[in-house]
Amino acid sequence: MAQSPSLIKLGLNPLTIKWANLGGAQHLLLLSVSLNSPSTKAQTTEKLEKERTCAGQMQGKLERPLYLWNLMIRSSTSSGFFEETLKIYSSMVKAGVHGNNFTFPLVLKACGKTSSVRYGTIVHSLALRVGFHADLFVQTALIDMYSKCRDLWSSRRVFDEMPTKSIVSWNSMISAYCHNYRLRDAFSLLKEMQVLGVELSSTTFISVVSTCNFGQGLSIHCYIIKLGLSNSDMQLANAVMNMYVRFGQIDGARCIFHRMDKKSIVSWTTMIGGYVTDGNVSEAFGIFNHMRHRSISLDLIVYVKLLSGCAQVGNLLLSSSIHSVVLKSGFADADPINNLLVNMYAKCSDLPAAQRVFDGVNEKSVFLWTSMISGYTKLGYSAEALDLFKRLLQTDIRPNERTLATILLACADLGSLIMGKQIEEYILLNGLEADQQIQTSLIHMFCKCGSISEAKDLFERVSNKDLAVWSSMINGYAIHGMADEAFSLFHEMRSCKGIKPDAVVFTSLLLACSHSNLVDEGLNYFWNMQKVFGIEPVVEHYACLVDLLGRAGHFDLALKTIKEVPVQQLPQVWAPLLSACRKYHNIELGEFAAKKLLESNPRVTGNYVLAANFYASANKWKEAAKIRRMMNANGFLKEPGWSQLEINGVTHVFVAGDQSHSQSVQIYKKLKELNIKLLEAGYVPVTDRVTHDLEEEEKEESLKVHSERLAIALGLISTEAGVTLRIIKNLRTCDDCHSALKLISNITERQLIVRDGQRFHYFQSGSCSCKDFW
């Protein structure tokens, strides 16, 4: 007795229905109900419309011929309107017309493309009823359909029940296994083909090579060569070449490329992409030039690869050149190109060029907005990034997860806690709080804005923490000088299955040690990083270790560490040593470090500033003046020290002695009151670190108007008593301001949170969280 089609609605295995002897009436009813669902396609091709018109003209006839139904089905399928194909087939079945071996493969393809396993099961049953159980074309289409619907059990059952199998049938089943990552089954089928003596074709190996691991790929490649198929099929050669590229074996890919008698655009593109991924952009452009000289027609993918390569190396001249070629090619308006151009110019630090590309696009996608916002953020123009984000919110385009994660980084750089919280509210309102990239960025934002408690609360709410989440919180503890918390979290992370610390985590741990004078712990982490976790130190690790040893006064160990640093990384490790020499007044070693610093990296302005400050602290005013003259001769400008304070969402920025603020009179009045109270509290100016040759009284006066003091004065007159003030400072807090801020926190009964160029300082009740070690 036939089974009711309602069984499908009950969730029974489609195979129970597929091989049952279903009645024709039930089939027609079920097919009609299933296939006449509302189509998601809003339009069809002009060709399909013409064929429908032709079909409509035959309404008066008793029966529409099968060839006309097939014509309509072929047109809708080839146009990509797969749901339309299913609707046409439904009408065909209701009209009492049975399909043939041309109809069923097209309809089954539509089922596979729409992942409609239920529809596919019904079509399968009809094919069996009308006698196509042994048709190779139909049976192979069934294998492919079930595979696309991720029903491999059904694919294999169709395959096993085929009376005869062609090479296409075998290849389809192998491809089904590969696309569903069942490589063991695919290899088992390959062996079965060999045992049965089935002649293997190049198509047999394409799917396997595209999904296997490198070891398996090498074996397959050897077997392909043995069978003499290596040069007989361009598509197979491209697949093997792509396998080598995928695993970073560019030399192997190049060998195949040069041996190919004929090359398709895919061959050339694969090599260009391989060189770009390998970091050898010059070779990628070499391949590109060969293509142009041979007048090979270039496609969009070629330009996508080349633009990615330009972004990778950050070469502005090369980037401008390829941009010109793209404009001439006619691909400039293609969807991914503008996005890549903005990203490329941002990576080349040419934001005006990126902005011009961005402004020239009429219909901007969320990806284009995100690339432009990301460009501003990564180059330190966080305020401009926020302005752009506000413009985005005024459009109909909604920011995605990456957009929000990026703008949170801008908030973190600015120290804008108010804006960061507003974005968090937007995230919650739009149900995006579960995204781990957003969670990581929120944790980072709270940490960088001086709200470590909120970062911790958010971290604990994250259910499935990945390495980025752990790393962000560990780094947060490190920059806040909370070494014990960072160590504890690191050990907790190690107990999590599947989470292995990377180089970034160890940089944070060494930073935590440096800020807390934990030399033994730092040396231990540096050793474990290499010996236990197999992570080779990079310049960040060496710089942190030199900084840690130098801060603690272990100059011999610091010099020994520097000797282990690779030559190309040396410039960045002399700076922390020079800072330590300034702190400990080690004049001889400091002069040596200053010389090495300027010799190894003469194009960095900060190095000249550091050297000049060192000589000034040693009262070597002539040497300090000489360094400043060198700066001027090279056209370098010292970045002025500034401090900023956010009040009610408005950011106020000050430099030393600033009188440009609209409330300047009230600020200096409050500052004068503070200075009197400081003296009463026992404040003694620390003038030995003033970097200019001034009289003692002039030094004391210059200290009174440092930027962070002006910011605090504004905060005191603009907020209610007891409100915490958060100050962002671009440079290291000087000794005198550090001493003064401790007393100010006690005098005003306020907590002052200062993020300087080194770390966070929490000033409260006359003391600082750094314990005077920074």
Side-chain angles (χ1 to χ4, degrees):
M1 180 171 176
Q3 297 184 41
S4 168
S6 62
L7 291 176
I8 295 180
K9 298 179 181 179
L10 297 177
L12 296 184
N13 191 327
L15 294 171
T16 306
I17 301 165
K18 180 171 34 178
W19 280 281
N21 183 20
L22 297 180
Q26 291 172 320
H27 257 314
L28 293 176
L29 176 62
L30 179 57
L31 196 61
S32 176
V33 171
S34 300
L35 299 185
N36 279 296
S37 58
S39 174
T40 58
K41 296 293 184 181
Q43 55 185 353
T44 59
T45 63
E46 182 179 353
K47 181 179 178 183
L48 183 58
E49 289 294 342
K50 288 181 179 179
E51 288 167 359
R52 278 180 169 173
T53 303
C54 179
Q57 292 172 353
M58 300 184 65
Q59 288 294 332
K61 297 186 178 182
L62 293 176
E63 183 179 327
R64 187 177 301 169
L66 177 59
Y67 82 88
L68 186 56
W69 288 108
N70 283 344
L71 186 65
M72 294 171 63
I73 288 171
R74 183 186 65 180
S75 184
S76 62
T77 304
S78 61
S79 299
F81 301 119
F82 301 114
E83 290 195 18
E84 192 69 30
T85 296
L86 299 179
K87 290 180 69 176
I88 294 170
Y89 181 65
S90 173
S91 299
M92 173 181 161
V93 172
K94 285 192 293 184
V97 180
H98 296 296
N100 58 13
N101 60 355
F102 182 88
T103 316
F104 287 115
L106 290 172
V107 176
L108 289 168
K109 179 181 178 180
C111 292
K113 289 291 186 179
T114 56
S115 299
S116 306
V117 70
R118 191 170 90 157
Y119 301 162
T121 300
I122 298 166
V123 175
H124 184 183
S125 299
L126 282 174
L128 292 177
R129 281 180 55 80
V130 294
F132 286 97
H133 62 280
D135 186 275
L136 280 173
F137 293 106
V138 174
Q139 296 300 303
T140 302
L142 282 167
I143 292 171
D144 184 65
M145 181 274 293
Y146 282 120
S147 167
K148 293 289 195 308
C149 295
R150 298 189 178 278
D151 186 356
L152 280 182
W153 187 88
S154 296
S155 285
R156 185 58 189 259
R157 181 164 177 177
V158 172
F159 177 78
D160 289 340
E161 292 183 359
M162 291 177 70
T164 58
K165 301 178 181 70
S166 68
I167 183 63
V168 177
S169 310
W170 288 92
N171 291 345
S172 294
M173 195 63 236
I174 289 171
S175 177
Y177 279 132
C178 290
H179 289 156
N180 287 275
Y181 303 100
R182 295 268 293 273
L183 284 174
R184 183 176 296 179
D185 293 314
F187 278 104
S188 176
L189 215 54
L190 273 173
K191 292 178 181 177
E192 189 176 338
M193 292 177 74
Q194 291 175 275
V195 171
L196 295 175
V198 180
E199 184 178 354
L200 303 175
S201 68
S202 57
T203 308
T204 310
F205 297 99
I206 290 175
S207 297
V208 179
V209 167
S210 300
T211 52
C212 64
N213 61 40
F214 186 58
Q216 293 168 331
L218 286 176
S219 300
I220 290 294
H221 188 196
C222 291
Y223 193 54
I224 289 169
I225 294 171
K226 182 179 178 181
L227 293 173
L229 299 173
S230 56
N231 295 319
S232 63
D233 187 276
M234 187 190 302
Q235 190 177 3
L236 177 60
N238 287 337
V240 175
M241 186 166 59
N242 186 62
M243 182 271 294
Y244 279 103
V245 166
R246 197 168 74 248
F247 294 104
Q249 303 295 321
I250 193 68
D251 291 337
R254 182 172 57 241
C255 289
I256 297 170
F257 179 76
H258 288 310
R259 288 174 185 168
M260 292 174 70
D261 297 327
K262 293 182 179 180
K263 300 178 180 69
S264 66
I265 184 64
V266 175
S267 314
W268 293 92
T269 306
T270 301
M271 279 310 301
I272 288 174
Y275 278 123
V276 169
T277 303
D278 195 51
N280 196 341
V281 178
S282 61
E283 286 290 343
F285 272 89
I287 296 285
F288 174 64
N289 289 330
H290 279 302
M291 294 178 72
R292 297 181 71 191
H293 291 153
R294 297 188 183 190
S295 300
I296 296 171
S297 179
L298 304 174
D299 65 2
L300 179 64
I301 304 300
V302 173
Y303 293 110
V304 167
K305 300 289 185 184
L306 291 173
L307 290 171
S308 299
C310 290
Q312 183 177 301
V313 297
N315 185 316
L316 183 57
L317 180 60
L318 190 63
S319 298
S320 301
S321 300
I322 194 63
H323 188 185
S324 299
V325 176
V326 170
L327 290 172
K328 293 176 183 177
S329 70
F331 285 113
D333 294 327
D335 188 44
I337 293 294
N338 287 311
N339 186 39
L340 287 166
L341 285 169
V342 168
N343 182 56
M344 176 188 73
Y345 279 120
K347 290 289 179 66
C348 295
S349 302
D350 190 350
L351 283 175
Q355 187 69 54
R356 283 194 296 271
V357 174
F358 178 81
D359 292 338
V361 180
N362 293 324
E363 295 184 7
K364 300 176 177 64
S365 68
V366 66
F367 306 105
L368 187 64
W369 282 95
T370 304
S371 290
M372 196 67 240
I373 291 169
S374 177
Y376 278 117
T377 301
K378 289 178 180 177
L379 289 174
Y381 295 91
S382 298
E384 288 78 0
L386 276 172
D387 289 340
L388 198 60
F389 179 72
K390 291 173 184 176
R391 279 178 54 194
L392 169 61
L393 293 180
Q394 293 170 2
T395 70
D396 294 332
I397 299 170
R398 295 298 89 192
N400 61 18
E401 291 85 350
R402 184 168 175 264
T403 317
L404 294 166
T406 302
I407 201 62
L408 284 169
L409 294 179
C411 293
D413 290 340
L414 286 172
S416 180
L417 183 61
I418 293 174
M419 188 66 187
K421 286 186 173 181
Q422 289 176 357
I423 293 172
E424 184 188 25
E425 289 179 13
Y426 180 92
I427 290 166
L428 294 171
L429 285 172
N430 288 275
L432 301 172
E433 66 275 11
D435 182 84
Q436 285 201 328
Q437 187 180 13
I438 288 178
Q439 291 170 333
T440 302
S441 295
L442 276 170
I443 292 169
H444 177 72
M445 182 274 295
F446 281 125
C447 289
K448 292 281 282 185
C449 291
S451 186
I452 195 74
S453 59
E454 287 184 274
K456 181 184 176 183
D457 290 342
L458 177 59
F459 173 81
E460 290 176 347
R461 292 199 303 270
V462 178
S463 54
N464 297 314
K465 301 177 179 67
D466 63 2
L467 179 59
V469 173
W470 287 97
S471 181
S472 187
M473 194 66 232
I474 290 171
N475 181 257
Y477 282 135
I479 61 176
H480 282 263
M482 303 169 70
D484 290 340
E485 289 83 352
F487 300 158
S488 176
L489 203 60
F490 172 71
H491 293 301
E492 185 181 339
M493 182 188 75
R494 286 193 61 187
S495 65
C496 294
K497 187 178 180 181
I499 302 291
K500 182 181 178 181
D502 62 0
V504 176
V505 171
F506 280 100
T507 300
S508 298
L509 293 170
L510 290 170
L511 189 67
C513 294
S514 180
H515 287 325
S516 301
N517 198 23
L518 300 172
V519 176
D520 291 339
E521 289 84 349
L523 290 171
N524 185 51
Y525 280 122
F526 190 77
W527 186 89
N528 278 325
M529 177 182 72
Q530 300 171 77
K531 304 301 180 183
V532 177
F533 296 97
I535 299 171
E536 287 299 315
V538 294
V539 64
E540 288 81 8
H541 301 123
Y542 285 117
C544 281
L545 187 60
V546 171
D547 184 56
L548 167 63
L549 296 170
R551 283 172 183 270
H554 297 296
F555 292 107
D556 291 340
L557 279 175
L559 285 170
K560 183 179 178 182
T561 300
I562 289 174
K563 290 178 181 178
E564 298 175 3
V565 179
V567 176
Q568 67 272 18
Q569 298 177 359
L570 272 174
Q572 296 186 52
V573 299
W574 289 113
L577 182 65
L578 182 56
S579 295
C581 291
R582 182 186 178 195
K583 175 181 178 180
Y584 285 95
H585 301 285
N586 190 330
I587 307 302
E588 183 179 354
L589 182 57
E591 288 185 307
F592 175 75
K595 180 182 177 182
K596 288 290 186 182
L597 179 64
L598 296 180
E599 285 178 353
S600 61
N601 207 350
R603 306 303 303 170
V604 178
T605 306
N607 292 342
Y608 290 90
V609 174
L610 186 60
N613 289 347
F614 164 75
Y615 284 118
S617 68
N619 292 322
K620 291 198 170 190
W621 303 109
K622 290 183 179 180
E623 288 82 354
K626 181 181 177 181
I627 297 295
R628 293 194 186 95
R629 285 195 297 271
M630 289 171 64
M631 283 181 61
N632 294 332
N634 288 316
F636 296 150
L637 295 175
K638 177 187 175 183
E639 181 185 9
W642 52 259
S643 297
Q644 69 179 38
L645 173 73
E646 186 180 38
I647 300 174
N648 297 326
V650 178
T651 300
H652 304 264
V653 183
F654 297 90
V655 295
D658 200 335
Q659 296 187 19
S660 62
H661 197 276
S662 60
Q663 293 178 268
S664 187
V665 174
Q666 297 95 316
I667 289 170
Y668 276 87
K669 181 180 178 182
K670 173 57 70 173
L671 200 56
K672 186 176 181 180
E673 294 174 9
L674 276 178
N675 288 330
I676 293 172
K677 292 180 180 179
L678 281 171
L679 292 173
E680 292 174 351
Y683 163 70
V684 178
V686 182
T687 59
D688 61 341
R689 294 296 176 91
V690 176
T691 58
H692 294 279
D693 190 8
L694 304 172
E695 295 296 328
E696 192 68 22
E697 186 175 340
E698 291 178 300
K699 290 180 180 180
E700 292 182 12
E701 288 302 314
S702 70
L703 293 172
K704 292 178 181 179
V705 291
H706 274 193
S707 59
E708 54 263 62
R709 300 198 197 188
L710 295 173
I712 288 170
L714 174 65
L716 292 174
I717 64 175
S718 304
T719 60
E720 296 181 1
V723 172
T724 297
L725 301 180
R726 289 179 167 83
I727 314 296
I728 307 296
K729 183 174 172 61
N730 64 327
L731 303 177
R732 180 184 183 275
T733 298
C734 72
D735 293 350
D736 181 73
C737 284
H738 192 270
S739 176
L741 264 58
K742 287 195 294 184
L743 291 172
I744 290 173
S745 71
N746 196 39
I747 292 168
T748 61
E749 297 183 347
R750 300 255 196 156
Q751 184 183 45
L752 310 175
I753 301 177
V754 178
R755 189 186 90 192
D756 70 4
Q758 296 276 338
R759 55 165 295 160
F760 271 91
H761 301 264
Y762 286 73
F763 297 98
Q764 191 165 18
S765 303
S767 63
C768 179
S769 60
C770 75
K771 300 176 183 177
D772 298 336
F773 186 84
W774 80 101

